Structures are given as structure tokens and as C-alpha cells.
Amino acid sequence: MKIILIGFGTVGQGLVQILRDKRADLKARYGFEPQVVAVVTGRRGSLYSPTGLDLDALLGDFTAYPDSWEGLERGWSAERIIRESHADVLVEASPSNLETGQPALNLCELALQTGKHVVLANKGPVAVAYNDLMSFAQKAQRQVLFEGTVMAGTPSIRLAMQALQGCTITSARGILNGTTNYMLTQMESGKPYAEALAEAQALGYAEADPTADVEGWDAAGKARILAQALFGRKFLALDMHVQGISHLTPADIDAAKAAGERWKLIAQVTPQGASVQPRRIPISHPLAGVSGTTNAVTYTTDLLGDVTLIGAGAGKLQTGFALLSDLLAIHQLGDSQTVRNGRRW
């Protein structure tokens, strides 16, 4: 399998590290021998070699990658690499644009048009244009997989769309942002909002501009993906009630504790609508016990009742694993399977 990797930040490097470190195991257990033939970055240019790039060199000094490497080309645009390479899969791990999905959306469509599968950690294309992508995939007889867009490598998408096949899911309700969950955990221990935010930033959980996390927009993007994947409903940001945690005070936290409850930033999705807002959850509820940067989702079903999945919602290797799991799915199912809604069955 030949892979084009768009984006070489934390997530892209996580995937390459896994492919390097687990090379022998992946070959022995699954017959999986991937080659990363191209890496495209926003600031450091691009590298392309039809015979595959050296993973150790990629993880070292990217800009000092040896010019002597066989067939090496520098500076090709992502579009040229997609058109002229003979790669099998485009992995999109660049920063998410939840307004337009661009430029990743155009690259994903080009990849499908040129016969390549698409694997996404980038939330933008599936949040903005899920149905269009799946339509392109079906016509091209290729897959679009996106496990890494919700809860990183914790298999929230596969649980809902594969393991729970046969059930009717009526709602999804969960903690889909690790930054705010960490902050709420710290606030419950007595820290005010500003101190909890500063600590989250110092630990690398929150960006210098934390708006997307603390005002609920990151979780809203994930809710939009779930709404389309589970219910075929496209909700724009304007259609949703989105509220973050920045208004919560120590008095709010104390009032919930006194009532045997706990504040959580909850994304909720049903066929009728989607929302993100802080909610007081009874201590007895599975979501109430989810602390720190951990994420969780509860699917309400007709046959099993509530099914709750808890696990890592972010991280270098955790999200890198999500990409690996999608690549393995493509490898194991092969090209002979039937495509339905952008997925092979």
C-alpha cells in the first residue's frame, strides 16, 4: 500500500512513528507493508519518492532529508503528487477547517477522482461535505474512512456503524473534547476557570487561542460528523445550540457537587438536531466518571439500551492509531468488496 500523507504535525508524525516501530509486527500479523511515498507540509515543503520514503529520516530532520534518496522530488504540490503518483491512499492529517473544509476537501475529491482511497484525521471535509464525499467514493469504488475525526483512536465510529449494526441508534451523547473535560476536572478540585485554562495550556492540551475548545466549537464539529454518519442529517453551525464552559463559576461547580452531580461539556446528536453545552450529569451516570482528557460517548439503541464507550480522545499515537486502523481496514477488505456509502462491506 502506497500512502500520501498530507500534514506532518503531531498526528502525521504519530502515524509514521507507528508504521516504523510496528513494521515487523504489521507484516507478520496482517501482511501489511505500507510505504509512505509522499509527505506534504504547510511550511516545510513536500517530499515524494515513488519507491517510498525513509521513515527514520522523516522523523529526524524533515528539511534535511537526503537528496540522494532514490527518485526524490522536493516541492511538488499536493495536487501534483495526487495526480502523478501511483499511490493507493491519501491520508489527510492537516489542520481542520470547519467552515469550508478547504483545502483538504478539494484534495480528498481529487484523490477519489484519481482512484485513491481517503483516510481522514482532518474533521473539516466530513463535517462540511460528508454526503458529497461518500457520493464521490461510491462512484469511484473507493473508501472514505474517518475514525480519527471523533475520539481519536477510540473506535467510536466503528462501534456505531459496524459493531452496532442491526440496532437502531436514536441518539449519541458524549464528552468529545479532552481540553474542556480536563479543565472541568480541575475546576471541580477547586481551581477557578482561568487557572484551569492556564494549566491546560501549559500542558499542551489547549492552544494559545483556546476558543475552539472552551467555547464548544471543536465538539460541535465532531457532533456534526456523527449527525451525518449516524442519521444522514447535515447540521450547519448556525443550526446548533453551542455553548462552552467559559461562563462556569466556582459557585456553579459547588452547586452541582451539592446535588450529587457533575458538570460536563456534552455534545448531543439526534435525528432532530445537535447541540453542545455544559450539563449537570448525575454522579451515577457513566459519563460523570470520565475525568481528565478522556473522552466518552453513549449511544442509545433500541436493542441494547445505552452503550457507552470510554477512551482517549486525543494524542499523537492515539490519533495515529486511528489512521492505522483505517489503513488496515482498507488493506484487509481489499478492492474486491462492494462499496456502499463510501465504505466496503
Side-chain angles (χ1 to χ4, degrees):
M1 177 184 287
K2 294 187 175 183
I3 299 166
I4 299 168
L5 176 58
I6 307 292
F8 201 54
T10 300
V11 175
Q13 291 175 38
L15 172 63
V16 170
Q17 182 178 331
I18 293 170
L19 295 180
R20 181 195 65 182
D21 295 347
K22 296 181 71 69
R23 180 187 289 115
D25 183 57
L26 292 170
K27 180 180 178 180
R29 295 174 66 188
Y30 310 110
F32 184 53
E33 298 181 81
Q35 290 181 306
V36 178
V37 298
V39 176
V40 180
T41 74
R43 294 190 300 272
R44 291 175 290 168
S46 67
L47 300 171
Y48 166 62
S49 170
T51 60
L53 297 167
D54 181 271
L55 303 188
D56 283 313
L58 286 176
L59 292 169
D61 185 348
F62 181 89
T63 58
Y65 193 92
D67 288 323
S68 59
W69 191 259
E70 182 181 355
L72 183 69
E73 298 284 354
R74 293 183 184 273
W76 282 21
S77 68
E79 291 84 357
R80 182 178 181 184
I81 290 171
I82 292 170
R83 286 194 178 96
E84 297 187 24
S85 72
H86 296 286
D88 304 296
V89 183
L90 173 70
V91 174
E92 229 303 343
S94 65
S96 299
N97 179 336
L98 292 172
E99 295 183 6
T100 68
Q102 300 295 359
L105 178 56
N106 284 345
L107 296 178
C108 292
E109 292 177 351
L110 178 60
L112 292 169
Q113 290 166 2
T114 55
K116 298 168 182 63
H117 303 289
V118 172
V119 169
L120 289 148
N122 186 327
K123 296 184 287 293
V126 277
V128 171
Y130 179 90
N131 289 335
D132 289 340
L133 277 177
M134 296 307 162
S135 177
F136 271 116
Q138 190 169 26
K139 291 175 183 176
Q141 292 288 287
R142 289 296 179 265
Q143 297 184 76
V144 174
L145 301 180
F146 51 97
E147 187 65 69
T149 63
V150 180
M151 288 181 64
T154 302
S156 57
I157 303 295
R158 282 190 173 80
L159 173 62
M161 301 186 73
Q162 295 182 18
L164 293 178
Q165 285 187 88
C167 289
T168 297
I169 298 174
T170 56
S171 73
R173 189 176 190 226
I175 299 165
L176 302 182
N177 181 270
T179 299
T180 50
N181 201 52
Y182 174 83
M183 290 174 60
L184 288 170
T185 301
Q186 298 305 107
M187 290 167 71
E188 190 172 357
S189 71
K191 295 181 180 179
Y193 171 85
E195 186 177 342
L197 174 57
E199 187 170 312
Q201 290 172 319
L203 292 170
Y205 299 150
E207 301 289 342
D209 179 359
T211 304
D213 291 323
V214 300
E215 299 302 339
W217 294 109
D218 174 73
K222 296 169 184 176
R224 290 166 65 188
I225 293 169
L226 288 175
Q228 294 181 86
L230 300 181
F231 305 123
R233 295 297 310 277
K234 182 176 181 177
F235 299 117
L236 302 177
L238 294 175
D239 299 327
M240 300 175 62
H241 174 68
V242 179
Q243 183 182 31
I245 67 167
S246 59
H247 67 286
L248 291 179
T249 66
D252 294 324
I253 303 295
D254 291 342
K257 290 171 67 174
E261 297 174 334
R262 181 169 285 149
W263 284 100
K264 294 294 179 184
L265 184 67
I266 300 295
Q268 183 161 314
V269 182
T270 71
Q272 291 73 43
S275 65
V276 175
Q277 63 187 103
R279 296 178 183 270
R280 284 168 50 160
I281 304 295
I283 295 294
S284 59
H285 193 282
L287 294 180
V290 178
S291 60
T293 58
T294 304
N295 281 192
V297 64
T298 297
Y299 294 116
T300 299
T301 74
D302 59 342
L303 301 180
L304 295 177
D306 285 350
V307 178
T308 299
L309 177 69
I310 300 172
K316 180 179 182 179
L317 295 181
Q318 293 84 346
T319 311
F321 166 73
L323 298 173
L324 172 65
S325 69
D326 284 343
L327 291 170
L328 282 170
I330 292 169
H331 166 71
Q332 291 171 332
L333 289 173
D335 287 338
S336 63
Q337 302 295 317
T338 301
V339 173
R340 184 169 72 246
N341 294 332
R343 291 176 164 267
R344 294 183 187 275
W345 304 88

